[in-house]
Amino acid sequence: MDINLDINYKYYLHINKYLEVSVMRFQNKLLHNLRREASDKKEDLRRDWGDEFYECIKDIAEHPVVLRMKLYPHHGHTSCYQHCLHVAYYNYVWCRFFQLDARSAARGGMLHDLFLYDWHTHAARTGDHFHGMTHPKCAFKHAKKFFELNYKEEDIILSHMWPVTLFRVPRTKEGWITTFTDKYCGTLETSQR
């Protein structure tokens, strides 16, 4: 009888180990499928948001005056155009996340630095040593000339340099998001010299 118990116990251990391995394989496969499914959904979301984002700014991004921003360096090795594209995209993502006006935020972000000069040499040529405070009005003037702007887009362009422009505080939620997005993108672009 002791031999039977010993055989049954060994059989039990063998079955138990087999079940543990099978359960672990099943769990790993399930986790892998869930991760892949979540990743696929994330990629679908990125692709959808990317297409929707570009539809929001397409007319601006392809406009000849806006394309001139590619000629002017901005932060580090980033052109003014690239910087505005970064700000526009992050504006869009954050405003969509918070269920705000993502379209206006993206369009305002794309136009917020439409001042059309190299600010690194601007002071030496013109004597204007206050680029940080004056360029929002210059960008607004150019944007208003070439595009029809709504209230939120105007606020984004005019107030994106707050707190440097002390008296031009953002009046919209999209304006506040742009203020922080602009600083975030500028910091990342400058640090990648």
Side-chain angles (χ1 to χ4, degrees):
M1 186 157 155
D2 286 338
I3 294 175
N4 268 346
L5 285 176
D6 191 37
I7 293 172
N8 287 339
Y9 183 70
K10 285 181 182 178
Y11 181 73
Y12 167 78
L13 288 178
H14 179 70
I15 294 290
N16 194 27
K17 184 169 183 147
Y18 175 77
L19 288 174
E20 283 180 12
V21 169
S22 296
V23 167
M24 283 180 61
R25 283 183 183 156
F26 176 75
Q27 287 175 336
N28 287 340
K29 192 173 187 176
L30 183 63
L31 278 173
H32 176 73
N33 288 340
L34 288 172
R35 284 185 189 129
R36 190 178 77 231
E37 187 177 308
S39 177
D40 290 346
K41 283 183 182 176
K42 196 174 186 181
E43 288 303 315
D44 289 344
L45 190 62
R46 278 191 188 146
R47 186 172 51 250
D48 292 346
W49 280 26
D51 292 342
E52 288 178 27
F53 164 71
Y54 192 71
E55 283 301 314
C56 291
I57 64 159
K58 185 177 181 179
D59 62 317
I60 295 173
E62 295 175 359
H63 194 278
V65 172
V66 174
L67 289 172
R68 280 182 49 200
M69 289 195 299
K70 289 183 176 186
L71 301 173
Y72 305 112
H74 204 40
H75 303 124
H77 298 293
T78 307
S79 73
C80 193
Y81 182 89
Q82 289 169 313
H83 169 70
C84 287
L85 196 59
H86 295 158
V87 171
Y89 180 73
Y90 284 111
N91 275 358
Y92 179 81
V93 170
W94 280 107
C95 286
R96 186 157 173 184
F97 177 78
F98 289 119
Q99 298 178 353
L100 300 173
D101 187 353
R103 184 177 193 281
S104 293
R107 293 176 69 80
M110 195 63 207
L111 296 169
H112 82 281
D113 278 344
L114 188 64
F115 46 81
L116 301 175
Y117 56 80
D118 182 356
W119 65 270
H120 301 88
T121 59
H122 180 69
R125 287 185 290 109
T126 64
D128 177 13
H129 297 281
F130 300 103
H131 165 78
M133 288 189 256
T134 60
H135 83 269
K137 285 185 181 176
C138 183
F140 175 72
K141 185 180 82 176
H142 289 131
K144 192 81 168 162
K145 183 177 179 181
F146 296 103
F147 303 98
E148 194 170 317
L149 304 174
N150 65 31
Y151 175 75
K152 291 176 183 177
E153 293 164 354
E154 289 177 4
D155 183 57
I156 286 169
I157 296 167
L158 288 170
S159 65
H160 76 273
M161 282 304 291
W162 185 85
V164 174
T165 53
L166 287 175
F167 302 109
R168 185 58 199 203
V169 178
R171 295 180 178 135
T172 62
K173 292 174 184 174
E174 292 81 1
W176 279 106
I177 286 176
T178 303
T179 298
F180 296 116
T181 302
D182 184 42
K183 310 302 182 274
Y184 172 75
C185 290
T187 301
L188 289 180
E189 292 159 1
T190 301
S191 66
Q192 291 181 357
R193 289 186 178 204

